[in-house]
Amino acid sequence: MLKLNMSVLFLFAGSVHAMPVQETDAMAFPKDISCNIGSSIGETEGRSLLPDVLARVGSIWQPGDFQFIAQVDGVGSHHLVFNLHHNNIPVEKQELILSIDNNCQLFRYQYRVVDYKPKEDAGNNSKIKSIDEAITSLKTIVANPDEPLTRSIQAQANRLRLLNKADHSQLPASYVADEITGSPLYRISSNKVLILGYQLNLPSRNPDGLLELWWNSQRSSPSALPRFPYAKRSDKQSIPALSPWQWQGYGQHPQRTLGTDYVVNFWEVWPPISQSLSINTADKLQTANLVFLDSLDFSWDFEDRTFAELWNNSDSDADSAAEKKRKLTSILTNVAYADKGIGYAANTLGYGHLLPSKPNLVLSTTASGGSSIYKPAFDIIQIVDNSCNASLYDPGATLHEQGHSVFVRLLGLSRSNPVNTAMNEGFADYWAAGFLRQDPKWNGSLSDFRSGACGKTSADRQLRTQLYDYFDGMEAKISSSHGGITGPEGKVFFEPMLAQPLLAAMEDLIKLHGEEKGRKLADHIVLETFAGLSVDASYRELSLALLVNARRFDPSLKAEAIYRLRLTNSNLLPRQVEPESRVAIATIMPAETSVTLVNHDSANKAERVTVALPNQVEQNIELAASEKRALTLPSPQLTCGEVSSHRLRFVIGKTISWYKIRLIPSH
Ligand SMILES: [Zn+2]
């Protein structure tokens, strides 16, 4: 990868000086490259920028070496994905993504292209010689029910268990061999050789979807990677007109509504609360806004009756009344939030063009596999009970999975890697929190409802408290999509690490601009950052992109200052001045801590810093560029032998930030 030695100046809002922030090697935010607007913005406009951008990054490649692959339009933004090609065949992951605004001004580019010419494989070992041969061979494989690939879709179908509405028989899962499509694609091997392969699209029915496969020409079968989409799914449905439909259900935690009268099996005791929901058909529990797939546990045999009828009728059947009511409550809660979230993304935020087809929603009480999930290959959100009935009526689950469905639509190509997947989880928590926070009693936990009904759950992530800091090199340690990574200062959970500062910035903007305008501004800044973002972006790049978008959407620079502070507090943005270590030795008598501060600026910028431990007298020092200096700070009272965490308060210019530090007492 080419190293770009460019430094970009970022203005500190509210201060008079400019602060250099470390520029990453692959992503940059130019202000001086633009194109001529054509009838619309697309490949032609992007192509006209290639010579300037390639010169800027010092590329060994020419504009003609790039093929136009995909375009994502955001809100006032256009993201054009170009790939390196060889003999008109794209080379996977060799991307140059250009982001242009409506004035044809380039505001971001992401250059992730090798700086050597890979050799072409002689093809002596290839078992598959052409795309036609790959497609024909795949048809033979899917005709055999014993092939691993054929069994994999059967496994999907078993989890979803789709039922025929008419007779409740289980629908047989199948591949549509006649509709297989594909195209050749190169991959660069570790020894810098171009290996030819084939990207294949395999449509499925029951569940309907598109499995995307990679077939290395040197292997005898394709790899069953359902998450290798190199083409975007085609749009299935247009949005139907909405009309209101009255329904009843529990829109918030029953414990809050019922207070001390709350019992765990509340639906047996208390009548539902009236709410109203927009549904497309007249008085029927059915929506085409979200396409429901029938599951064994939630069959739709009652869709032609009103909720009140269903609720009252279930009382006459004493044995299963509680179960029926629980299912109804689950269905309505999930439908409500699924509609609300997608409606907000499409109509309020302006991403309707990315949502012509809606994610499908499947509710299951007995699905194997435990957690709720979003399956991009089928565009399905499956909500399962996850060992707790309340999981099915906790809107946090639907909203989190819905966040994934929004995230994949923002990407240029839906390929992924572990870091991008971890960012996707953080985004999904942020997306859910934007809705959950509208309940004034929300306690900041993603699975608040589940926790209330069933105690602590695995998804019990706290999104309102700053608990986790990014650390350098974190990306290399991420290997799974959920959970924690052990860093130098203990475990970091990467979902709240990203979601918490984004939510905090949203709440800051809401304080400034009010609920509607503040939230919309925050969501535009965040969603526009992810729109067209390379899946190979790092957290620091993501954070810089957030600042740039904050500036684009709020020229007053107030939003930028908010994001800078929140991201810095979680260490997602580097500080110019910071302690040398997150661990400090403190004496007990007198209560003092020695902290060494470093000014990372290698240019010539001296910095005046005010620093203090909680509720202690502050110290004020000036550090020259590259200077390192120890200072002694008054400490809070410590107990002998007990290590404790504290927030060091930093004031540089007018910006206050915090830095988590552990104090180890010594005699
Ligand atoms: Zn998730």
Side-chain angles (χ1 to χ4, degrees):
M1 198 64 72
L2 289 173
K3 292 269 180 244
L4 306 179
N5 295 314
M6 296 198 313
S7 78
V8 174
L9 291 180
F10 290 96
L11 284 175
F12 241 151
S15 73
V16 291
H17 65 273
M19 175 187 170
V21 171
Q22 196 185 334
E23 183 56 80
T24 58
D25 64 349
M27 189 187 292
F29 310 98
K31 287 180 179 160
D32 55 338
I33 300 179
S34 58
C35 42
N36 294 318
I37 308 174
S39 54
S40 62
I41 289 178
E43 179 183 357
T44 310
E45 289 66 31
R47 280 223 169 266
S48 74
L49 300 174
L50 284 178
D52 277 352
V53 174
L54 292 174
R56 182 72 60 96
V57 299
S59 175
I60 62 162
W61 302 101
Q62 302 301 312
D65 295 326
F66 290 88
Q67 203 172 52
F68 178 70
I69 297 285
Q71 174 165 355
V72 181
D73 292 327
V75 173
S77 66
H78 311 274
H79 310 273
L80 309 166
V81 183
F82 289 88
N83 245 193
L84 204 62
H85 73 89
H86 182 73
N87 297 335
N88 289 322
I89 297 171
V91 184
E92 191 211 8
K93 295 181 183 172
Q94 302 306 310
E95 291 169 359
L96 172 53
I97 306 175
L98 304 176
S99 301
I100 304 167
D101 67 18
N102 282 342
N103 299 318
C104 229
Q105 170 81 41
L106 183 71
F107 62 87
R108 180 177 76 193
Y109 65 75
Q110 300 165 84
Y111 181 78
R112 297 177 186 276
V113 186
V114 290
D115 61 352
Y116 59 84
K117 304 237 172 182
K119 293 190 292 282
E120 185 171 4
D121 176 64
N124 298 335
N125 299 324
S126 79
K127 296 194 163 64
I128 302 286
K129 304 285 187 195
S130 69
I131 182 65
D132 290 343
E133 196 182 334
I135 291 175
T136 307
S137 303
L138 183 58
K139 284 182 184 173
T140 308
I141 289 174
V142 299
N144 180 352
D146 295 326
E147 282 282 348
L149 198 61
T150 323
R151 286 208 298 266
S152 79
I153 189 155
Q154 198 56 55
Q156 301 282 1
N158 284 342
R159 180 175 168 144
L160 296 167
R161 294 191 304 176
L162 308 179
L163 296 189
N164 185 329
K165 277 185 192 175
D167 62 6
H168 285 221
S169 60
Q170 190 164 347
L171 294 164
S174 65
Y175 285 131
V176 193
D178 289 345
E179 292 177 18
I180 295 172
T181 58
S183 54
L185 181 68
Y186 279 113
R187 269 185 179 178
I188 302 179
S189 68
S190 53
N191 56 348
K192 302 186 176 179
V193 173
L194 287 170
I195 304 290
L196 186 61
Y198 306 97
Q199 185 264 320
L200 297 160
N201 307 308
L202 177 53
S204 68
R205 297 283 181 272
N206 305 321
D208 289 8
L210 191 69
L211 288 173
E212 289 166 281
L213 308 170
W214 160 256
W215 195 332
N216 181 326
S217 63
Q218 299 178 353
R219 303 270 165 79
S220 53
S221 62
S223 42
L225 285 173
R227 301 196 64 182
F228 180 76
Y230 222 70
K232 298 279 275 189
R233 193 177 298 105
S234 61
D235 306 332
K236 283 186 278 191
Q237 256 193 317
S238 59
I239 306 170
L242 299 178
S243 68
W245 184 76
Q246 289 300 311
W247 64 287
Q248 294 171 298
Y250 291 92
Q252 58 174 335
H253 196 301
Q255 193 165 16
R256 290 183 197 141
T257 314
L258 304 173
T260 52
D261 294 329
Y262 169 76
V263 287
V264 172
N265 58 346
F266 67 94
W267 45 81
E268 291 180 77
V269 181
W270 299 97
I273 301 143
S274 288
Q275 295 205 20
S276 121
L277 167 72
S278 290
I279 293 274
N280 67 312
T281 58
D283 289 338
K284 285 184 183 175
L285 188 61
Q286 181 188 32
T287 167
N289 198 14
L290 301 143
V291 181
F292 280 89
L293 295 170
D294 294 359
S295 82
L296 195 65
D297 312 307
F298 287 93
S299 59
W300 289 87
D301 57 344
F302 39 60
E303 69 186 11
D304 55 348
R305 288 184 281 163
T306 64
F307 180 83
E309 276 179 285
L310 289 165
W311 188 272
N312 294 332
N313 287 353
S314 57
D315 282 334
S316 61
D317 184 356
D319 290 339
S320 61
E323 182 60 15
K324 280 184 178 167
K325 286 181 176 179
R326 188 177 61 75
K327 285 182 178 177
L328 286 169
T329 305
S330 304
I331 290 167
L332 292 171
T333 304
N334 283 288
V335 173
Y337 280 88
D339 262 358
K340 190 174 174 177
I342 294 297
Y344 173 72
N347 305 322
T348 306
L349 294 180
Y351 293 97
H353 60 289
L354 295 180
L355 291 152
S357 67
K358 307 290 179 261
N360 304 318
L361 183 62
V362 174
L363 308 175
S364 316
T365 53
T366 55
S368 61
S371 304
S372 297
I373 195 169
Y374 170 65
K375 286 184 166 291
F378 308 111
D379 202 14
I380 280 175
I381 290 169
Q382 186 178 22
I383 303 297
V384 301
D385 84 343
N386 203 5
S387 313
C388 174
N389 280 337
S391 295
L392 282 159
Y393 62 81
D394 188 336
T398 291
L399 290 167
H400 171 94
E401 304 307 337
Q402 182 179 78
H404 291 317
S405 75
V406 172
F407 185 92
V408 300
R409 284 165 161 85
L410 292 170
L411 298 184
L413 301 171
S414 19
R415 69 181 178 84
S416 63
N417 67 29
V419 175
N420 177 260
T421 306
M423 287 177 183
N424 190 350
E425 295 301 340
F427 174 83
D429 278 5
Y430 164 77
W431 181 258
F435 294 90
L436 298 176
R437 61 163 295 286
Q438 294 173 336
D439 177 347
K441 290 179 184 161
W442 183 53
N443 72 2
S445 162
L446 180 70
S447 58
D448 190 17
F449 288 27
R450 265 186 282 180
S451 305
C454 304
K456 212 166 160 42
T457 74
S458 58
D460 199 6
R461 300 192 284 273
Q462 179 48 248
L463 306 178
R464 265 205 170 125
T465 314
Q466 199 250 306
L467 295 170
Y468 306 106
D469 282 359
Y470 171 83
F471 59 88
D472 286 328
M474 184 172 181
E475 283 85 352
K477 292 194 162 196
I478 297 177
S479 60
S480 64
S481 57
H482 276 295
I485 316 135
T486 304
E489 306 304 324
K491 214 155 197 191
V492 176
F493 287 87
F494 48 68
E495 304 95 330
M497 179 196 79
L498 178 59
Q500 184 276 331
L502 297 184
L503 177 64
M506 175 194 277
E507 295 190 328
D508 290 343
L509 288 174
I510 287 171
K511 274 181 213 140
L512 266 184
H513 299 289
E515 174 68 38
E516 213 172 308
K517 199 178 159 208
R519 182 178 177 212
K520 194 173 166 184
L521 176 59
D523 280 334
H524 272 152
I525 290 167
V526 173
L527 269 69
E528 282 301 303
T529 296
F530 282 101
L533 191 76
S534 162
V535 297
D536 299 310
S538 67
Y539 278 100
R540 286 269 159 97
E541 289 174 323
L542 174 72
S543 304
L544 287 173
L546 282 161
L547 292 190
V548 171
N549 271 315
R551 203 180 316 149
R552 285 184 62 224
F553 282 91
D554 177 10
S556 80
L557 304 186
K558 280 184 185 152
E560 185 190 348
I562 285 170
Y563 280 87
R564 183 184 296 284
L565 175 63
R566 294 300 182 175
L567 293 166
T568 303
N569 279 343
S570 293
N571 208 34
L572 282 158
L573 282 174
R575 294 161 169 79
Q576 184 178 333
V577 176
E578 64 183 9
E580 193 178 37
S581 167
R582 286 180 176 265
V583 181
I585 307 292
T587 58
I588 294 181
M589 292 293 284
E592 282 180 341
T593 300
S594 174
V595 174
T596 302
L597 295 185
V598 190
N599 184 350
H600 292 302
D601 186 5
S602 54
N604 53 7
K605 180 98 184 66
E607 204 64 76
R608 179 155 288 284
V609 184
T610 306
V611 58
L613 279 159
N615 307 315
Q616 305 298 314
V617 177
E618 54 191 27
Q619 302 270 335
N620 194 318
I621 64 162
E622 189 172 286
L623 281 176
S626 304
E627 190 187 352
K628 197 187 273 195
R629 202 184 326 160
L631 71 162
T632 302
L633 297 175
S635 300
Q637 225 24 262
L638 300 179
T639 309
C640 194
E642 271 180 29
V643 178
S644 53
S645 254
H646 298 272
R647 297 210 307 168
L648 198 63
R649 185 174 184 267
F650 260 79
V651 187
I652 304 175
K654 285 182 181 171
T655 304
I656 302 166
S657 71
W658 288 270
Y659 193 89
K660 276 206 300 184
I661 194 161
R662 277 188 299 156
L663 302 188
I664 301 175
S666 83
H667 294 288

